[in-house]
Amino acid sequence: MLPGGNEDIIVKPADAHNLLRPETVESLFYLHRITGDKVYRDWGWQIFQAFEKHTKIATGGYSSISNVKSVEKPSFRDKMESFFLGETLKYFFLLFSDDPNLLPLNKYVFNTEAHPLPIRTNIPSPQW
């Protein structure tokens, strides 16, 4: 927090939601795979624990929340986007996996929906 400030960052009320998006976890996955630095797993674990604590629904599933600044009682939006299951949790799984051969980055590339696509190296030249 900055000296004399009451918040370390400014979040406008209209931007204070969490939709359970994957981009931060995706970045942590890439950074960990490339550097091997444990700090990226630690940060991912903190995010995962926050999701468990603040967005998990007792009857099952997870919900986006309306106000991340209301830590004691977050307001559920009663909505879980499909990208949470298809991307966010996939990147958590990959981040925490100890198997370096699980989708290695020199053999696979991920598209914008977190689908792994094999890198082909033996593509024949077109015969025009």
Side-chain angles (χ1 to χ4, degrees):
M1 186 176 318
L2 296 173
N6 57 4
E7 295 183 19
D8 55 350
I9 60 172
I10 297 171
V11 179
K12 296 177 185 174
D15 299 329
H17 57 274
N18 182 313
L19 303 178
L20 309 172
R21 293 202 52 85
E23 288 82 5
T24 301
V25 183
E26 176 185 11
S27 297
L28 295 174
F29 159 68
Y30 283 121
L31 289 164
H32 178 263
R33 276 285 180 96
I34 292 167
T35 68
D37 193 333
K38 185 180 176 297
V39 71
Y40 301 113
R41 275 189 172 172
D42 294 342
W43 292 344
W45 184 243
Q46 289 175 18
I47 293 169
F48 183 79
Q49 287 179 311
F51 280 172
E52 286 288 300
K53 182 177 180 180
H54 300 292
T55 70
K56 191 171 186 176
I57 304 297
T59 56
Y62 294 79
S63 174
S64 55
I65 55 178
S66 297
N67 188 355
V68 297
K69 296 170 80 175
S70 177
V71 178
E72 298 304 319
K73 189 166 183 180
S75 174
F76 293 121
R77 288 184 158 191
D78 195 25
K79 185 174 185 179
M80 181 177 70
E81 301 283 356
S82 62
F83 56 72
F84 179 69
L85 296 174
E87 297 176 57
T88 307
L89 292 181
K90 184 184 300 181
Y91 282 120
F92 273 129
F93 176 80
L94 292 169
L95 174 64
F96 299 131
S97 171
D98 289 325
D99 183 358
N101 295 315
L102 179 63
L103 301 172
L105 297 179
N106 63 339
K107 294 184 180 178
Y108 291 89
V109 63
F110 291 87
N111 72 4
T112 58
E113 299 298 319
H115 300 299
L117 303 172
I119 298 172
R120 294 184 58 190
T121 57
N122 57 350
I123 301 172
S125 299
Q127 302 298 317
W128 305 105

